[in-house]
Each structure stands twice: as C-alpha cells, then as structure tokens.
Amino acid sequence: MPSDESPERQLFRAALDRGRDCPPLEQLERLFETGENPWATHVESCAYCHTELTLLRRFQSAEVTEAEEEPIRRIAGRMRSPIPAGGPWWKALWQMPWLRPAAVAAAGVAALVAIGVQWRPSQPVLHAPTRSDEVLRSNRIGILSPAGDLRQVPHEIQWQPAPSAVRYQVRLLEVDGTELWKAESTATRIDLPASVRVRIVPAKTLLCQVTAFDGAGQTVAESNAVRFRLLQNFDVP
Amino acid sequence: MESLSDEELVASYRSGPDSTRGERSLNQLFQRYHSRVAAWCYRMTGETDLAADLAQEIFLKAFQRLDSYRQDAKFSTWLYSIARNHCLDELRSRAVRPVEATDVLLEEVADSRSEDISVRLERDQSEQLLKQLMRESLDPTETEVMTLHYVHEVPLDSITRLLGLSNQSGAKAYIVSARRKLSRGISRWKSQIGR
C-alpha cells in the first residue's frame, strides 16, 4: 500500500480488498459457468469477488461496442500467433513487437556483413583520411542519460569522458534534425534548463548528441545521436 | 482441430510441443482468443499501439508458461488471469502518481458537503461498518467501480471501458454517487446511535 495514501483511500482499499476467505479464480469460474456454486453467497456479499467475476465475464464475452470494433480489429490484425514454447530462443524475438524492428535491423546488418565479406578486395586498401574521418569510431562518447523510454522528464544529460577533451558541446535535436537546444560544459554532465524541460513532452522522440573538443578546438570525440522519449502519462514539468 | 476443446488443444500441444500438430494447437488457441485479449488490452489502455504490444506479450507469456497450466481452471480463465495481471502491472508502471491525480479529479466533482469519510468513522469499527454500508447502499456497478479504482488503481477511463459504462461521465459518476451514498449512510448510522 502506498504510504502517502489518504486515510480515506486506505479505508476504502481495506474494505474492498481481497479477503482471506475469498475463493481462487477457478472457483469463481465455476460460478460463472453454472450459477450454482458453494461460493455464490460469498460472492454476493464480497465486493472483490463480485468484481473479479464481472471482469471474468467481460473477458469471456465476445461482445464489443460499436466504438470498440475498429480499434480492436486493428489490434487483433497486428497480432501473430507466438511460437511454441519449446522453439529456438531467437524466434521469440519476432514475437515481441518492440523487438521486431531490431530483429529486422540485425538481419539486415548480418546480410550486409555477409555481402561485404563475400565481395571484399583480396588486398586491403588504405584511404587517406579526409576531414570528415577525423573523428574515429573508437573515440565515440557514450551518453549515459537520457536514453530510451523515460518515466520522468530528465533533469540533466550525462556522458562518458573523452580522453584529451577540455570541453563538450551538447545538443538536443528533434528527429528531423532541428536543433532544440545547444550548450557547452567542461564537466561530463549538464543541467537541462526549465525552458528546455518543458519542451520534452510525452511521446515525442528527441535526440541527444555530445561532441568533445580539445584545447585547440579540434573535435576529439563524438557521441551517436541517442534517442529518448518521455512515456505517456508521466511527469511533465 | 476446430472441434477440440481448449484443454484438449493444450494437451495436444504438450504431447508434441515441437511437432506441427503442437504448433497447430497453439495457433488454434490463438485464433480463438486473440480478439478477446485484444479487446481486454484496448479497454485497459485505450491506446491501440500499446494494446497491441500488450496483447502480443500476453500470448507470448501464456504460451511460454503452458507447462504451468494445471487444468484445474479452464484455459480461458488461466489466460484471463495472465491478461489481467499483465495489464494491471503495465498500468501501475505507467502511472506516476495515479492516486493523487484521481483524488484531485474526485475532489472537483465530489459533493462539497461530504467530508472525508475516514474522519467520520471511528477507527476501530470503520472497516466493518464501511463494508456493511457498501453492501447495503451500493449497486453492483458502483461496487465494481470502487473496487477497480481503490484496490486495483485502474484509471477511471479504463474502468469505463472495462465495464462498458455508457453514461456520459462514465466511472467518475459512479464513484461520486457511491461516496454520496456512503456519506449519507454514515450520517444515518450516527443518528441511530445518537452521536
């Protein structure tokens, strides 16, 4: 029970919650099936069991309202029968909707690597570095936070230090590359000002990128553009 | 396959989990229930994208745990319990401070004359008395709405969809009317015992 609940809520919860004498769901199910059951009297007077039975009936019923028809049809249309429980673990990746794009991407990368290996030149070819090659992949900066789906609006951005960096430039971008905010820091973190935090709204994906500079102003490392998003129904300042 | 009961399909799967027949058994179970799980998830969340993800996860979880299904309940009831718990967990994880948010909402609509019910009841008898008042005063829908809201912390709009409430303000109206009835019941009880 949350400790900050009002006394009234605590009282309601205590009066309505499952009791020690409440039957398990399979007993309620028989009441649902036959209407005759030793638990019938209990269910009549128990708010918790009465509600459980109503929800079970609602689940079992195939009835949908007119307003529900279209969204439910769309949801059902997106679902796929999962693999048998004993199947190979990698097949399970395809069953998780949020992993499916990653699985597709991984398959694509694997295919590209295979093609690359097949068609690679027999002798390695060295290219002279160009300006755009100056930031080497080994000098990537890892952004520690924010990243991924967030439950709260972030207060700061943190990243890993880059060797020989004396200052860092931090940018927040929209997914189309529009810059929302830019700032500099000599530390490996920076506070997000309130004026920026109010622009981090639920369900909107943003990108964060950090670039490290040495004392001569040369770029010494750069992060990937890391995606993050505030989930729906969470803290908005 | 179509003529087999759910429980027979589970048994068929268990007799050869890696066989084509086993896979067809699961597909048949999926065909029978995917719309119901989709409906449940939609009613719980009100969002098609999230509901689709949850519904898929529910089937994955169920099919991965088929070994734990003991057949002392119907398959549909077992699947329901997974769907119910999965969605409730998701709602709880997404709600930062649902209690306060709803309280504010309810304060706005509650009868201004009704004071905090817990204040009006003596601590030692409050729970039993409240149970009795609920049995005597509340109609079945009010009881269900109160239980879903106060015990399971289901948001009011989800309760409206879950119970198929068609009145204009949905579950909110039932909470308000239940609180008024309980408040009146407490007043009656106090006058009867001469307080």
Side-chain angles (χ1 to χ4, degrees):
Chain A
M1 182 192 301
S3 59
D4 52 354
E5 270 190 345
S6 71
E8 183 175 300
R9 262 191 177 266
Q10 290 178 25
L11 184 56
F12 276 138
R13 184 194 287 267
L16 292 162
D17 210 348
R18 182 188 178 91
R20 264 172 274 164
D21 53 344
C22 290
L25 197 57
E26 58 266 24
Q27 297 288 341
L28 290 177
E29 158 199 284
R30 281 170 208 144
L31 190 61
F32 167 61
E33 288 290 302
T34 63
E36 292 177 5
N37 187 294
W39 293 101
T41 311
H42 170 87
V43 170
E44 267 178 32
S45 62
C46 173
Y48 188 92
C49 291
H50 172 82
T51 306
E52 285 294 290
L53 190 58
T54 300
L55 292 182
L56 177 60
R57 284 183 171 137
R58 186 89 169 121
F59 177 81
Q60 303 278 21
S61 164
E63 276 179 36
V64 294
T65 65
E66 201 176 313
E68 290 175 329
E69 265 177 25
E70 173 59 20
I72 290 172
R73 190 188 57 74
R74 266 190 286 139
I75 295 163
R78 284 175 51 181
M79 295 168 65
R80 291 142 50 102
S81 176
I83 53 157
W89 64 269
W90 52 267
K91 273 193 175 180
L93 292 178
W94 293 94
Q95 312 305 322
M96 305 299 287
W98 52 275
L99 272 179
R100 210 175 294 144
V104 170
V109 168
L112 287 174
V113 167
I115 292 167
V117 167
Q118 179 70 27
W119 291 96
R120 68 183 171 178
S122 54
Q123 295 296 320
V125 178
L126 294 176
H127 297 284
T130 62
R131 177 77 188 162
S132 61
D133 292 329
E134 282 176 4
V135 178
L136 302 178
R137 186 163 290 278
S138 59
N139 286 344
R140 282 283 178 207
I141 299 173
I143 293 182
L144 302 175
S145 68
D149 286 344
L150 309 177
R151 297 182 174 190
Q152 289 185 319
V153 175
H155 289 269
E156 61 177 10
I157 297 172
Q158 285 184 302
W159 57 90
Q160 292 170 328
S164 72
V166 296
R167 65 184 173 91
Y168 299 89
Q169 183 189 71
V170 186
R171 296 164 75 211
L172 276 190
L173 310 163
E174 293 189 329
V175 287
D176 62 359
T178 307
E179 189 175 273
L180 276 184
W181 177 68
K182 183 167 76 174
E184 291 204 350
S185 169
T186 53
T188 55
R189 60 168 299 284
I190 192 167
D191 286 327
L192 283 168
S195 59
V196 175
R197 296 184 72 228
V198 295
R199 300 175 74 174
I200 302 173
V201 295
K204 181 175 183 178
T205 300
L206 294 174
L207 305 171
C208 177
Q209 191 164 35
V210 177
T211 308
F213 298 95
D214 62 14
Q218 292 294 311
T219 301
V220 291
E222 193 173 321
S223 74
N224 288 321
V226 174
R227 287 173 181 269
F228 69 92
R229 181 182 61 162
L230 184 64
L231 289 171
Q232 295 275 15
N233 303 325
F234 282 101
D235 176 28
V236 178
Chain B
M1 242 352 130
E2 287 79 8
S3 61
L4 295 179
S5 71
D6 297 343
E7 292 71 30
E8 286 170 333
L9 286 170
V10 174
S12 164
Y13 165 73
R14 281 175 169 167
S15 67
D18 296 325
S19 67
T20 307
R21 183 177 174 79
E23 194 163 342
R24 283 175 58 208
S25 300
L26 290 193
N27 286 340
Q28 183 64 29
L29 286 169
F30 176 81
Q31 286 305 322
R32 287 183 190 176
Y33 288 102
H34 79 296
S35 288
R36 274 180 244 189
V37 172
W40 177 265
C41 294
Y42 175 69
R43 288 165 184 160
M44 273 286 199
T45 63
E47 297 175 34
T48 50
D49 287 346
L50 177 59
D53 287 353
L54 289 176
Q56 189 68 52
E57 288 161 13
I58 286 163
F59 271 102
L60 187 60
K61 196 181 264 189
F63 286 0
Q64 284 178 337
R65 293 181 183 178
L66 266 182
D67 287 342
S68 69
Y69 170 56
R70 287 172 292 136
Q71 302 222 356
D72 48 1
K74 288 170 57 182
F75 173 79
S76 59
T77 305
W78 182 76
L79 181 62
Y80 159 75
S81 69
I82 293 174
R84 169 191 178 281
N85 294 340
H86 194 72
C87 289
L88 285 175
D89 287 346
E90 174 66 21
L91 286 182
R92 287 189 193 116
S93 75
R94 290 168 71 87
V96 175
R97 296 177 73 84
V99 172
E100 290 77 359
T102 315
D103 278 347
V104 170
L105 174 69
L106 292 174
E107 277 169 18
E108 289 172 0
V109 295
D111 186 341
S112 58
R113 291 167 301 169
S114 68
E115 58 188 284
D116 189 323
I117 287 169
S118 66
V119 174
R120 305 187 68 188
L121 294 172
E122 299 293 337
R123 179 176 292 190
D124 56 346
Q125 47 193 174
S126 57
E127 188 181 321
Q128 286 310 313
L129 176 62
L130 192 55
K131 279 185 176 177
Q132 185 189 332
L133 287 174
M134 284 173 167
R135 279 196 295 271
E136 291 171 358
S137 325
L138 305 189
D139 67 35
T141 307
E142 287 166 342
T143 303
E144 290 156 10
V145 170
M146 294 283 280
T147 305
L148 284 169
H149 183 63
Y150 286 106
V151 178
H152 298 298
E153 296 179 13
V154 179
L156 294 177
D157 53 349
S158 298
I159 297 174
T160 302
R161 286 187 298 269
L162 273 179
L163 299 180
L165 305 177
S166 55
N167 58 315
Q168 194 176 1
S169 48
K172 189 169 67 179
Y174 287 91
I175 296 265
V176 172
S177 88
R179 284 167 55 102
R180 282 179 182 157
K181 284 180 181 178
L182 293 171
S183 195
R184 281 199 293 267
I186 292 165
S187 297
R188 272 199 308 276
W189 170 73
K190 285 197 165 182
S191 64
Q192 280 168 7
I193 62 169
R195 297 191 182 195

